[in-house]
Amino acid sequence: MKQKILFMMIDMNVGGTEKAFLNLVSEIDFTKYDVTLLLLEEKGGFLKDVPNEVQIETLENYEQIKDEIMLPPLVCAKKAMHIKKYLKAVGILFYHIIFKISNDRTSYYKYIIRKLKKKEGYDVAIAFAGPMEFITTYILEKVEANKKIQWIHFDISKNGTNLKHARRNYPKFNKIFVVSDQAKQILIDAIPSIDKITETKQNVVSEAACLKLAEVGETYRNYDGIKILTVGRLYREKGQDIIPEVARQLKREGYDFKWYLIGEGSIRKEIEKKIEEYELKDTVILLGTKTNPYRFYKDATIYVQTSRQEGFGITIAEAKVFKLPIVSTDVAGAREQLKEKNEIIVQFAPDELAKGIKKLLEKSRG
C-alpha cells in the first residue's frame, strides 16, 4: 500500500521555496507514495510544473478566512462590524487581545480554523512553507498524520519569525528539517528544546534537469559582453535594491557590462527609480519572471546573489551547476555552498559587492 504524504504551501508562485518543492517531488517514487499538495490558493507560475501524479487541493473555505490570515486583525474586525457580523468581530478582537498579551497567534489561528474539517488518513504531513505561522498551526491542529514535519527555509533570526509561536509549536512536530547547517544552528540556539528532532536537509537541485532546460530556454538578446546575472523575487530580503548603486560604481571605474535581473516583486518600482536616477537604463535590465531561467545561467559571465537573508540559496546551487563564478553576500548557507576559488562571499554593502565582482572579472581576464 502506498504511503500518503501531504505537503502544505501558500501557492506556487515563482520562488525558491516553490522551486525546492518541485525539485523534491521530482525525486519521489510515485509507485510507493501518494502525494497531495495543499495550497491556500491554486495559483502561481510554477503550478504548471507540478507533476501530474501530485494531487493538488486548496484549503477549504479559504476565501472566507483569507482576510483573517493575511490582514491585520483590527482591519478584519472593522470589516466584520461593517457587514453586521458582530460575533465574528468580537471573536477576532478577543483573540487579538490574547495575541497582544502573549505575542503568540496560535490561539488566534486556532479560532480562525475552528470550523474547518480535519484532513485524515495521512502517513506524513509536512508544513513545507516554513516558517509560516498559519500553516504550522493548521498542520498541527487540522491534519491527522502518523508523522508531522516542519520545514524551515530561512534564517529565522532575520525573517521576522515569531519565536513565541515557534517555541510553543515546533516541539510538537516529529521532525524539523532546516535547509542549511547555519540556519539549523540559529534555530536550535533560539529553541534549544528541538535540538534532537532537528536536522539539516539541503534543498535538492537536479543538475541533469537544469542542463536539459538550458538547451530550450530563452537567453540574452543582442549582447555578447560581460553579463552579470541575479535571479530571485524582487523583495527586500533578496537585496536587489542595492544593485543600481553597485552597477554605478562599476561603471564609474570603467567596466563595460550589463546586469540582468530575473524575478518580479514589490521593490521593482524602487529599483526602476534608481536605474533612472543613476542613468543605468542600458546597464541594469529587469527581465521579469522566467519559469525557465537556465539558458540565462548558461550564457552568463558571473552570478551575483545580493540577499540580506537566506536559508539555502537555490539560485546559488543552480549557478554552480553551470560552473559560474559567484559573488554572494554572507547569508545562511553561503559558506556551505561556496568553497571554490571562483566563489566569493562578501558583506552586504555596495563597496563589498563591487570589489567581489571586480575581483572575479579580473580573474576571468587574466
Side-chain angles (χ1 to χ4, degrees):
M1 181 180 294
K2 291 183 181 181
Q3 284 204 321
K4 296 186 67 175
I5 304 175
L6 175 74
F7 290 87
M8 189 172 183
M9 299 175 64
I10 299 169
D11 53 38
M12 286 303 294
N13 282 336
V14 177
T17 301
E18 295 80 4
K19 187 175 290 186
F21 168 76
L22 292 176
N23 290 335
L24 179 62
V25 295
S26 72
E27 303 290 323
I28 289 178
D29 183 349
F30 291 108
T31 66
K32 297 180 180 178
Y33 299 98
D34 185 356
V35 179
T36 299
L37 172 60
L38 177 62
L39 301 173
L40 300 189
E41 294 183 282
E42 190 172 340
K43 67 176 187 177
F46 277 152
L47 195 60
K48 61 181 176 53
D49 298 311
V50 177
N52 293 330
E53 294 88 347
V54 175
Q55 180 179 344
I56 299 175
E57 298 180 0
T58 53
L59 186 65
E60 172 196 359
N61 295 329
Y62 177 67
E63 287 301 319
Q64 297 176 25
I65 62 173
K66 181 177 180 179
D67 284 352
E68 286 93 305
I69 297 169
M70 297 300 181
L71 296 179
L74 291 179
V75 173
C76 297
K78 287 180 181 178
K79 290 178 71 172
M81 290 287 287
H82 183 70
I83 59 175
K84 299 182 179 181
K85 291 189 175 182
Y86 301 117
L87 288 177
K88 180 178 180 180
V90 170
I92 290 172
L93 288 172
F94 175 77
Y95 286 101
H96 178 60
I97 291 169
I98 290 178
F99 161 67
K100 284 296 185 180
I101 295 170
S102 66
N103 194 28
D104 176 4
R105 276 205 172 92
T106 301
S107 296
Y108 176 74
Y109 287 134
K110 287 169 71 171
Y111 169 74
I112 297 303
I113 63 176
R114 69 194 185 284
K115 293 182 180 180
L116 300 186
K117 295 177 183 177
K118 284 203 172 188
K119 296 185 72 65
E120 303 175 343
Y122 293 97
D123 295 286
V124 183
I126 304 170
F128 194 76
M132 203 275 193
E133 294 170 30
F134 175 77
I135 287 179
T136 294
T137 305
Y138 182 88
I139 289 291
L140 289 174
E141 298 295 326
K142 287 294 181 176
V143 180
E144 291 188 0
N146 297 328
K147 185 175 183 180
K148 296 185 180 182
I149 298 172
Q150 173 71 66
W151 215 294
I152 302 296
H153 294 269
F154 303 101
D155 172 352
I156 60 102
S157 69
K158 293 183 178 179
N159 81 325
T161 297
N162 186 312
L163 288 177
K164 287 283 188 70
H165 181 275
R167 287 174 180 139
R168 178 176 176 179
N169 290 287
Y170 287 8
K172 299 175 184 177
F173 285 92
N174 301 97
K175 182 68 69 175
I176 299 172
F177 291 140
V178 190
V179 294
S180 69
D181 289 335
Q182 186 177 354
K184 181 189 80 170
Q185 192 57 53
I186 291 168
L187 179 65
I188 291 173
D189 288 345
I191 314 174
S193 63
I194 62 173
D195 185 8
K196 292 183 179 180
I197 62 170
T198 304
E199 64 180 73
T200 301
K201 183 77 72 173
Q202 289 187 345
N203 291 325
V204 176
V205 172
S206 170
E207 181 174 339
C210 292
L211 294 173
K212 182 178 180 181
L213 288 168
E215 297 302 316
V216 297
E218 60 181 304
T219 189
Y220 313 96
R221 297 179 181 178
N222 305 319
Y223 184 68
D224 297 323
I226 293 170
K227 295 177 282 291
I228 303 173
L229 177 65
T230 299
V231 179
R233 290 175 177 168
L234 302 182
Y235 288 171
R236 179 124 344 241
E237 57 265 30
K238 297 298 183 180
Q240 298 99 329
D241 53 297
I242 204 174
I243 287 174
E245 175 60 32
V246 180
R248 181 168 67 166
Q249 289 190 29
L250 293 172
K251 293 290 284 188
R252 284 175 173 175
E253 295 185 39
Y255 288 91
D256 187 17
F257 64 94
K258 291 186 186 297
W259 196 328
Y260 296 88
L261 282 62
I262 292 179
E264 201 57 78
S266 59
I267 63 170
R268 181 184 180 107
K269 289 185 178 179
E270 178 183 345
I271 297 170
E272 289 175 332
K273 183 178 179 180
K274 290 180 179 179
I275 290 171
E276 182 178 354
E277 179 183 349
Y278 300 157
E279 299 180 348
L280 296 170
K281 186 176 180 181
D282 295 327
T283 301
V284 179
I285 316 296
L286 298 172
L287 296 173
T289 299
K290 305 289 181 185
T291 56
N292 177 8
Y294 299 107
R295 184 71 178 273
F296 290 98
Y297 280 111
K298 180 182 177 183
D299 295 340
T301 308
I302 292 176
Y303 183 79
V304 178
Q305 189 80 17
T306 58
S307 299
R308 289 180 171 88
Q309 60 160 296
E310 288 287 346
F312 176 93
I314 286 185
T315 52
I316 290 175
E318 291 173 338
K320 287 175 68 70
V321 168
F322 296 93
K323 297 180 171 51
L324 285 171
I326 298 171
V327 178
S328 173
T329 48
D330 192 5
V331 289
R335 294 176 184 270
E336 297 161 50
Q337 292 179 273
L338 302 176
K339 299 178 181 179
E340 303 299 326
K341 292 181 179 179
N342 66 340
E343 299 170 348
I344 297 175
I345 298 174
V346 301
Q347 295 304 306
F348 183 85
D351 290 347
E352 293 299 311
L353 280 159
K355 286 178 186 177
I357 292 168
K358 287 187 290 184
K359 185 175 181 179
L360 290 185
L361 288 176
E362 294 304 321
K363 277 186 179 182
S364 65
R365 289 175 179 175

